[in-house]
């Protein structure tokens, strides 16, 4: 599907605002970024880059922000309309924030966020 960068960014903002407060409460030193494509050329929808809360210690203080990256290309290619895109963006955000909270890939799939 074709969508402008501005419309995509607006859907990301709307999806973030609609997430459960349990996922957003306590977010610390995290930025949300939209990139066009994954560097490896895959169809990865998003990625969490950082140190999960469950793995942080005193040496973590003062580090660069963790990043939740959404990839516009793969997300828009898999969706037929804005409603489906919004849903996929929301799912991807939950999945990546799950990693931020220390939930591994297997558990996220068990919970239906894989």
């Amino acid at each position: 599907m074709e969508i402008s960068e501005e419309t995509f960014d607006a859907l990301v903002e709307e999806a973030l605002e609609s997430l459960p407060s349990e996922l957003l409460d306590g977010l610390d030193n995290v930025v949300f970024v939209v990139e066009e494509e994954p560097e490896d050329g895959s169809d990865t929808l998003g990625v969490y880059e950082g140190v999960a809360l469950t793995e942080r210690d005193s040496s973590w203080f003062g580090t660069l922000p963790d990043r939740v990256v959404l990839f516009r290309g793969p997300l828009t290619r898999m969706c037929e309309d804005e409603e489906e895109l919004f849903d996929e963006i929301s799912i991807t955000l939950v999945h990546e924030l799950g990693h931020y909270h220390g939930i591994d890939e297997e558990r996220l799939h068990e919970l239906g966020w894989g």
Side-chain angles (χ1 to χ4, degrees), residues 32-89:
F32 294 87
V33 179
V34 174
E35 294 182 2
E36 192 60 34
E37 299 287 340
E39 288 182 17
D40 64 4
S42 70
D43 285 330
T44 300
L45 304 179
V47 66
Y48 167 69
E49 300 171 343
V51 178
L53 288 178
T54 55
E55 298 176 16
R56 294 182 183 180
D57 59 22
S58 61
S59 67
W60 178 83
F61 181 77
T63 62
L64 291 174
D66 292 6
R67 293 176 11 124
V68 172
V69 182
L70 297 176
F71 297 109
R72 190 168 87 89
L75 281 160
T76 56
R77 283 193 296 275
M78 74 177 295
C79 298
E80 294 185 18
D81 57 35
E82 282 189 28
E83 183 177 333
E84 184 179 5
L85 180 57
F86 175 82
D87 291 343
E88 287 302 327
I89 289 170

